[in-house]
Amino acid sequence: MLKLRQPMDVPQILLSVLFLSVMIIACLWIVRPFILGFAWAGTVVIATWPVLLRLQRLLWGKRSLAVLVMTLLLILLFVIPIALLVNSVVDNSAPVIKWVSSGQMTLPDLVWLNSIPMVGDKLYLGWHNLLDSGGSAIMAKARPYIGTTTGWFIGQAAHVGRLLMHLGLMLLFSIVLYWRGEQVVNGIRHFAFRLASKRGDAAVLLAAQAIRAVALGVVVTALVQGILGGVGLAVSGIPYATLLTVVMILTSLIQIGPLPVLVPAIIWLYWSGDATWGTVLLAWSAVVGTLDNFIRPVLIRMGADLPMILILSGVIGGLIAFGMIGLFIGPVVLAVSWRLYSVWVHEAPPPQTPPDEAVEELDGSENEVVNK
């Protein structure tokens, strides 16, 4: 018996899709304040999950004791240092903002150039010729942009309350994820499998590898280099060492390294006559500046190899989009997307036809269609 095909109920389909869309948007709107904190916690937990399992084996298989130790470690090594650094940025940046916004910022006279043997007089004369030919006018035109840019960066760091709220949420969600990590992973994998079968399950695992690569190979390396560089600055007596530590962490995150901060500090120490501490800081900077060559490959090998331009874009874009917390979230989002895209593209073999032949085949197909 032939069964007639039932007509499609278009209004029912449209209303169903509309209802689901409204529910999804409403749910995202409700949990919106917690999304960044949860994403931050997920990054931390995925990167440190092997440490939790090792602690659990050492603590007689007790998950509760392992979670307690990991929570204390997060507070001591992560939450407190970041809170202190951000507060220090706000406190130490007040003189800089006042100086920039006062309108009294001019190019320096650089009298010390005269003391340079052989070429000092020429350098000093050339510098003052530049000032006389419009250097002050250039500085006057650049001052509003410098003030706006500096104010924007400081404003991002000045959201102490927001950042501390995300830190608290990160700590709370990390405790939950440490305690119920296996159940959360199984739930995510189940959803991904239901959504895209085996590809969805594999995508979740690839995303975890990318997150671990960024968290370990980039963020941890930047924190280690920045903090060690800051210790060297503080011991050597460099002023605003804490603020410069934050700058070194940022430069290390964007793969420049801490040397753009350490080298001027060394020059300043030698120029001020403190050759002993200048030599100490020089030796310390040689160690800190090359530390990433040894740490990053070991840590990235635990996750997935990622292009450095991807990390740079993630850091800058994350900072603009989400503020200070975007330094950690931005690279993770781009790394996960890149890994999924890369695997999807490489499921098909690359084209073997030379470019000229491919264009000729396409032109031939178009001519056949026109002739028909």
Side-chain angles (χ1 to χ4, degrees), residues 9-88:
D9 193 347
V10 177
Q12 180 187 8
I13 296 175
L14 292 177
L15 290 175
S16 300
V17 173
L18 178 62
F19 176 76
L20 290 175
S21 302
V22 170
M23 291 298 296
I24 293 173
I25 294 174
C27 291
L28 291 177
W29 186 261
I30 292 172
V31 301
R32 183 172 58 92
F34 311 103
I35 291 177
L36 290 179
F38 185 81
W40 200 356
T43 301
V44 172
V45 170
I46 290 174
T48 58
W49 186 256
V51 179
L52 174 73
L53 296 181
R54 185 172 300 177
L55 284 174
Q56 183 175 345
R57 289 194 298 267
L58 294 175
L59 297 173
W60 309 284
K62 300 290 186 179
R63 174 60 63 88
S64 57
L65 295 178
V67 172
L68 178 61
V69 173
M70 290 300 300
T71 303
L72 294 176
L73 289 176
L74 288 181
I75 293 174
L76 294 175
L77 303 177
F78 201 76
V79 177
I80 293 178
I82 290 180
L84 292 177
L85 286 176
V86 173
N87 282 317
S88 177

Side-chain angles (χ1 to χ4, degrees), residues 100-117:
V100 171
S101 59
S102 63
Q104 300 177 356
M105 183 175 58
T106 58
L107 293 175
D109 189 63
L110 300 184
V111 180
W112 53 268
L113 289 175
N114 286 317
S115 59
I116 299 178

